Amino acid sequence: MAPPSTSIEHLLVPLKTLNGLLEHFQTSLSTTSDLKSGDEPPNALSVLHDSSSLLRAQITKLSLLLLNKPFTPSAIVSVIISINGEILPGLMAADELCQSPSYSHILHKEIRTQLQDLVEGLVGLVCQVPKDESGMRSLDAKREGILKSTGQVWQTCDRLIKVAGMGIVGLAVENAEAYHALVKDAVDELEEWDPDDEDIDPFGGSSDSGSNSDGTASHPPKEPVLKVTKGEIPNRDTGEIERVALDSLQITDMHVVKVATLKTLKLIRMLYPALMKRRISKFLPFARISSISSRPPVAQIEILDQLMQHLRQFSEETDEIAAAVYGRDSAEVERKIQNLKALAERSIGAVKNDWANKEDEFTVWSTQWIQRVNESMVGPRS
């Protein structure tokens, strides 16, 4: 076999092939394909791990070849041929295999998101490869772009390798911990909020400055709240006295709403560690080293996906409830708290028994938890 030519013209065909593969990959990542029946497919996570590892190594070579002199087209051709021949087809196969319900929605969604970022980084890096003598002379000016795209590819390859190793259970625990952290933050912020202080913005600002950053007035200053003590009649008209009385009653009500809301949200916060310990971490593990025959039943995969959706919804509902409290909208708080109750019952109902459909400690605990949630659902005063 003749040695590869050092001419830059020999880069053009492999580059064209690579660009065509990347374009096809980008299109396939936005669609869903029907899996063909036939022989038992390989473990998609194993394919994903191996292809991502190989790509990271080849991209490191490509980056060094672009950044260092002398420029050697023949070495770059070898790298691109390797990417075209086995790495990109492997990643595309992994994405297609992960569309099977056996791999779960959460896993496929994470893999597809990372693959989209990966392709974006690859496109950015391939654009830096010179196609003529002029491009070779301008490589120094492309250094920043080469490093940025290389870093993006490295980051996504590292993430894909990690996800393949974690598998379904590891990713589910990671997501649950992230949702749990959001709920904890929302509860902590609500605990610190004082309904009596109308000038404090719970989202980090201050509403009493009355000016923009340049010192100009942004809105007229708020009129001081009229304080009424027993036996004292303010020198205001009757309408003003009624307004102050209503404001005072609303503040008192918001204290009640805050306490009742926190009671419920703390119970939601308590649910996450229990579910992670007793249900998610007990799910049948499946990762890159697992055999295809050890994949969990599709019915259980669907239950896990549903549970993860509920945990995400808990975090979103918690944020919306807190926003309604800050907005002093007690009716909206009550409505959303009732929605939270219904969501809590649905989330527990599907996983009350263990994955073998037997009762355990969580079965008893969850029954008591639902009872406490129902007891906490005391709506604000009308």
Side-chain angles (χ1 to χ4, degrees), residues 193-314:
W193 178 66
D194 184 359
D196 291 343
D197 195 341
E198 296 183 349
D199 291 333
I200 297 298
D201 179 1
F203 300 105
S206 176
S207 60
D208 63 351
S209 62
S211 63
N212 295 318
S213 58
D214 60 357
T216 59
S218 59
H219 54 75
K222 297 175 71 174
E223 184 177 351
V225 176
L226 181 63
K227 297 186 181 296
V228 183
T229 59
K230 187 177 181 179
E232 178 183 357
I233 302 298
N235 187 22
R236 302 289 178 99
D237 59 26
T238 304
E240 176 68 4
I241 295 173
E242 290 177 351
R243 182 186 68 79
V244 172
L246 287 172
D247 283 347
S248 177
L249 178 60
Q250 183 188 39
I251 288 174
T252 302
D253 278 347
M254 289 316 298
H255 276 289
V256 175
V257 170
K258 174 186 171 180
V259 170
T261 301
L262 280 171
K263 185 177 181 182
T264 300
L265 295 185
K266 286 180 179 180
L267 287 169
I268 299 299
R269 182 179 64 182
M270 183 190 302
L271 178 62
Y272 283 83
L275 282 172
M276 284 188 279
K277 180 179 179 181
R278 298 294 181 182
R279 288 295 177 265
I280 300 176
S281 63
K282 301 290 185 183
F283 194 77
L284 185 63
F286 182 79
R288 72 178 183 88
I289 60 173
S290 306
S291 65
I292 287 294
S293 60
S294 68
R295 284 185 298 185
V298 172
Q300 291 186 4
I301 289 284
E302 291 175 349
I303 292 173
L304 181 65
D305 273 331
Q306 185 182 57
L307 176 62
M308 298 310 301
Q309 182 181 1
H310 289 159
L311 293 182
R312 176 180 56 80
Q313 289 175 320
F314 277 134

Side-chain angles (χ1 to χ4, degrees), residues 30 44 46 56 73 91-92 112 138 156 164 186 202 217 257 265 287 298 327 352:
S30 61
S46 179
R56 197 187 196 287
L91 291 171
M92 294 169 70
R112 176 155 283 195
S138 64
T156 50
V257 170
L265 295 185
V298 172
K352 196 166 188 177

